């Protein structure tokens, strides 16, 4: 009976429960989690920013060891180390064949239903099913996930480091390396310097950006941004960040701007501080009711700006996870520095509180 952190209702503290776990069905594997990052999206399910149905085992940024393999699964052996991909990528659907695994059709329904690919879930308690967030449920000592939602990794990578790759790093670094088209020498701005924003910053650095302007309202986040490669810090609580960025760029705006918060105001600012012909990349997850207001002619058409959405860092996980681990091994990607503390699954509510209070780096659950 694995111990799991279960979200029992909107704005309710997570309950630590012993849950039942069914054996993997065809196409699934059972993973003993080594670690799980606590991501802002977990909090967003609990507070209703993202839609969830309850009870649900949260957690979607994990890594662990394969302990059981369902029928028809190829490519995995018992004992393999894997990173959980919360977007399962089948490799066969329309989008996967176009090289856009992050849009894979296989797991789309699961994202809505809180089940696995067939809509059902392997967690239960007293015979009542418990949903699993995003085909994952990594806030559990063990989880059954689709085999196409796992990426094999070398065994010498510590699992707490590997776990981070699964969401925040793929999303942030992917936004810079995959979604955006950063050219060598570019000037980049990043609005929002939380966990994902820091990864956008280090991704922009890897992509060859010269100037990286970090924008946030919290000084502690800006300090972290500097450590991850930001060259200029703008504290948005000191005044309008758009005019500040214009001042810094001879009134041109930046080549590529990223929004990593998900608020109407900051998204609109991100588009406005992008230069003529530049790209605004929207990474932050807004509440579902958020609508944008942009000056269509002067703000977008005349300026020839591209506004791009970014889901899961536009990642193809089977190739991007190994690529990111290579950057890590070469010392170009900071991962250890993203972890602020290692906790037990019993302390996950404290990690949520720290996140709400503005803690930048990740709490990582170790099992
Ligand atoms: Zn996440
Ligand atoms: Zn697919």
């Amino acid at each position: 009976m694995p111990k799991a952190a279960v979200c029992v209702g909107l704005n309710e503290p997570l309950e630590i429960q012993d849950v039942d776990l069914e054996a993997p069905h065809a196409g699934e594997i059972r993973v003993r989690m080594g670690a799980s990052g606590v991501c802002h999206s977990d909090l967003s399910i609990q507070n209703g920013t993202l839609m969830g149905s309850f009870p649900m085992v949260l957690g979607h940024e994990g890594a662990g060891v394969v302990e059981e393999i369902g029928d028809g699964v190829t490519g995995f052996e018992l004992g393999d180390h894997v990173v959980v991909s919360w977007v399962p990528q089948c490799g066969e659907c329309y989008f996967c064949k176009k090289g856009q695994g992050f849009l894979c059709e296989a797991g789309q329904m699961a994202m809505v239903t809180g089940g696995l690919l067939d809509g059902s879930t392997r967690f239960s308690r007293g015979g009542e099913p418990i949903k699993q967030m995003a085909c994952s449920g990594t806030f559990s000592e063990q989880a059954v996930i689709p085999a196409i939602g796992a990426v094999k990794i070398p065994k010498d990578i510590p699992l707490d480091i590997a776990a981070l790759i699964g969401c925040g790093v793929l999303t942030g670094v992917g936004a810079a390396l995959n979604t955006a088209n950063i050219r060598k020498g570019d000037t980049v701005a990043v609005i929002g310097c939380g966990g994902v924003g820091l990864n956008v910053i280090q991704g922009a650095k890897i992509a060859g950006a010269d100037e990286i302007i970090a924008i946030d309202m919290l000084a502690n986040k800006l300090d972290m941004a500097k450590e991850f490669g930001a060259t200029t810090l703008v504290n948005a609580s000191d005044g309008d960040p758009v005019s500040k960025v214009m001042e810094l760029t001879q009134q041109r705006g930046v080549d590529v701007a990223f929004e990593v918060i998900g608020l109407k105001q900051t998204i609109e600012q991100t588009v406005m501080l992008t230069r003529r012909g530049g790209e605004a990349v929207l990474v932050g997850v807004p509440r579902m009711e958020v609508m944008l207001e942009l000056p269509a002619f002067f703000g977008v058409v005349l300026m020839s700006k591209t506004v791009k959405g970014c889901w899961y860092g536009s990642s193809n996980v089977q190739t991007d996870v190994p690529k990111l681990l290579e950057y890590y091994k070469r010392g170009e990607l900071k991962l250890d520095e993203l972890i602020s503390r290692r906790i037990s699954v019993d302390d996950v509510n404290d990690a949520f509180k720290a996140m709400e209070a503005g803690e930048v780096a990740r709490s990582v659950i170790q099992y």
Side-chain angles (χ1 to χ4, degrees), residues 93-269:
C93 72
Y94 181 87
F95 296 95
C96 283
K97 281 187 175 154
K98 298 259 181 214
Q100 295 179 306
F102 56 99
L103 299 175
C104 178
E105 288 170 325
Q108 269 181 342
M109 274 316 287
M111 196 62 81
V112 181
T113 60
L116 296 186
L117 301 182
D118 65 358
S120 66
T121 165
R122 305 294 161 259
F123 289 120
S124 63
R125 194 174 190 231
E128 291 299 313
I130 302 176
K131 312 274 187 180
Q132 39 193 122
M133 179 178 180
C135 278
S136 320
T138 60
F139 289 177
S140 171
E141 290 168 335
Q142 299 176 44
V144 170
I145 62 169
I148 60 168
V151 183
K152 211 154 102 172
I153 56 163
K155 289 183 181 169
D156 61 346
I157 305 281
L159 289 171
D160 51 357
I161 295 298
L164 298 179
I165 298 263
C167 181
V169 178
L170 271 174
T171 301
V173 179
L177 295 182
N178 300 332
T179 317
N181 180 27
I182 298 175
R183 298 171 179 87
K184 262 201 169 350
D186 269 357
T187 297
V188 165
V190 180
I191 295 196
C193 303
V196 175
L198 295 179
N199 283 304
V200 174
I201 290 169
Q202 53 178 348
K205 194 175 164 191
I206 291 170
D210 262 0
E211 291 287 323
I212 301 173
I213 304 169
I215 304 164
D216 205 287
M217 294 181 82
L218 295 175
N220 65 325
K221 293 195 176 184
L222 290 171
D223 290 343
M224 285 285 277
K226 195 170 181 192
E227 280 175 43
F228 278 76
T231 54
T232 308
L233 309 178
V234 173
N235 192 323
S237 58
D238 295 341
D240 176 32
V242 178
S243 33
K244 186 71 203 170
V245 168
M246 288 301 163
E247 221 174 90
L248 290 165
T249 55
Q250 296 86 47
Q251 301 303 316
R252 218 174 15 239
V254 297
D255 300 303
V256 183
F258 296 88
E259 202 277 353
V260 205
I261 304 172
L263 296 174
K264 171 181 162 64
Q265 189 193 12
T266 45
I267 293 172
E268 290 168 0
Q269 287 170 340

Side-chain angles (χ1 to χ4, degrees), residues 39 41 60 167:
C39 171
S41 299
H60 58 284
C167 181

